[in-house]
Amino acid sequence: INSRNIIQMTAVIQQILNTGNRVIAPRTLTYGNASAELARLEDRGAVVRIAYGYFFLVPELYRKPNTLWRPTIEEAALGLAIHDYGVKNVALVGPSVLRILGQYPRPLNIAYVAIPKQRPTIKTPWGVIRFIKRDLTTFELDYKQTENIAGYVTTREETFIDLLRKRPDWYISEG
C-alpha cells in the first residue's frame, strides 16, 4: 500500500463519516472511481458490503484485512434506508425495534424498516431487509443511537400495538 492509496482511502472514509451515516453507495460518493475505491476499502477491511451497491463503514477498532466484524441486520437496514430516503423519512418497526430496545435478545435474520414508498426486499449476507410502505407521521417515533447507527424507531408502545395488529404478518427467524 502506497501513500497515495492511504490518502485516497482516508478521503473516502472522511466523506462517509461526513454523511452522518455509516452506509454508503458508490453513486453518492463524489470521488473519481468510487466503486474501485470502495472495493479497495473492502479489501483493507475498512468497509463491508451489505448488499449490491451498498457498503457499511467498519468501526475503526475493527478495520483490518479480512475483518470478521459485521453490522447487525437492524443497523444495516436502518443505515440503508437512511441513505436512500433520509433520516426523517424512515424508521425501524416491528421485531427490529424489539432488538434495538433489548427486548428480544437473539439475533434475527430479518429486519423491518418503514419507508415512504414501496420497495422490494434486499438480501444481505446476514439476512433480509424488508421494506414496508408507511406514513410515519401517524406513528410515535423515538430517535435511538446504536453502537454504529442513529435513526428513528417506533416507540415501545407503538411497536407493541403494531405487533399485535399483525400488519404486516411479522415473520421472524433467528440468525
Side-chain angles (χ1 to χ4, degrees), residues 34-105:
S35 293
E37 193 56 39
L38 284 168
R40 189 173 313 148
L41 287 171
E42 185 178 23
D43 289 343
R44 304 273 189 268
V47 298
V48 293
R49 186 181 308 263
I50 58 172
Y52 179 79
Y54 294 93
F55 296 83
F56 200 103
L57 182 64
V58 174
E60 192 169 356
L61 180 64
Y62 302 101
R63 290 181 198 156
K64 61 184 177 187
N66 301 313
T67 184
L68 298 176
W69 182 89
R70 300 292 180 259
T72 66
I73 189 70
E74 294 84 13
E75 290 172 330
L78 186 57
L80 193 148
I82 289 170
H83 177 274
D84 286 353
Y85 303 102
V87 71
K88 293 183 178 184
N89 298 313
V90 303
L92 283 179
V93 295
S96 301
V97 178
L98 295 180
R99 289 275 303 136
I100 296 295
L101 297 176
Q103 300 297 305
Y104 195 88

Side-chain angles (χ1 to χ4, degrees), residues 3 25 55 59 82 98 110 115 140-141:
S3 61
F55 296 83
I82 289 170
L98 295 180
I110 190 166
I115 60 173
E140 291 183 33
L141 303 175

Side-chain angles (χ1 to χ4, degrees), residues 14-52:
Q14 190 58 52
Q15 189 175 355
I16 296 168
L17 289 171
N18 288 343
T19 67
N21 182 8
R22 288 185 172 268
V23 173
I24 197 71
R27 68 184 181 276
T28 56
L29 281 175
T30 56
Y31 197 78
N33 188 345
S35 293
E37 193 56 39
L38 284 168
R40 189 173 313 148
L41 287 171
E42 185 178 23
D43 289 343
R44 304 273 189 268
V47 298
V48 293
R49 186 181 308 263
I50 58 172
Y52 179 79

Side-chain angles (χ1 to χ4, degrees), residues 11 19 41 48 59 62 86 99-100 118 123 129 137 150 157 161-162 168:
T19 67
L41 287 171
V48 293
Y62 302 101
R99 289 275 303 136
I100 296 295
Q118 198 61 40
K123 292 183 180 182
I129 300 171
T137 61
E157 297 80 13
I161 290 168
D162 208 22

Side-chain angles (χ1 to χ4, degrees), residues 76-171:
L78 186 57
L80 193 148
I82 289 170
H83 177 274
D84 286 353
Y85 303 102
V87 71
K88 293 183 178 184
N89 298 313
V90 303
L92 283 179
V93 295
S96 301
V97 178
L98 295 180
R99 289 275 303 136
I100 296 295
L101 297 176
Q103 300 297 305
Y104 195 88
R106 292 191 277 294
L108 301 174
N109 66 2
I110 190 166
Y112 293 90
V113 62
I115 60 173
K117 65 182 197 171
Q118 198 61 40
R119 180 175 181 169
T121 296
I122 290 182
K123 292 183 180 182
T124 77
W126 316 286
V128 173
I129 300 171
R130 183 162 178 215
F131 300 97
I132 302 165
K133 182 182 175 187
R134 295 271 176 92
D135 176 7
L136 293 181
T137 61
T138 64
F139 284 85
E140 291 183 33
L141 303 175
D142 284 333
Y143 192 79
K144 293 286 183 189
Q145 172 75 50
T146 70
E147 191 175 331
N148 298 298
I149 201 104
Y152 287 99
V153 303
T154 52
T155 62
R156 181 182 309 266
E157 297 80 13
E158 189 77 47
T159 300
F160 288 126
I161 290 168
D162 208 22
L163 289 170
L164 291 173
R165 281 190 207 141
K166 293 188 176 185
R167 270 191 295 161
D169 290 335
W170 304 108
Y171 170 79

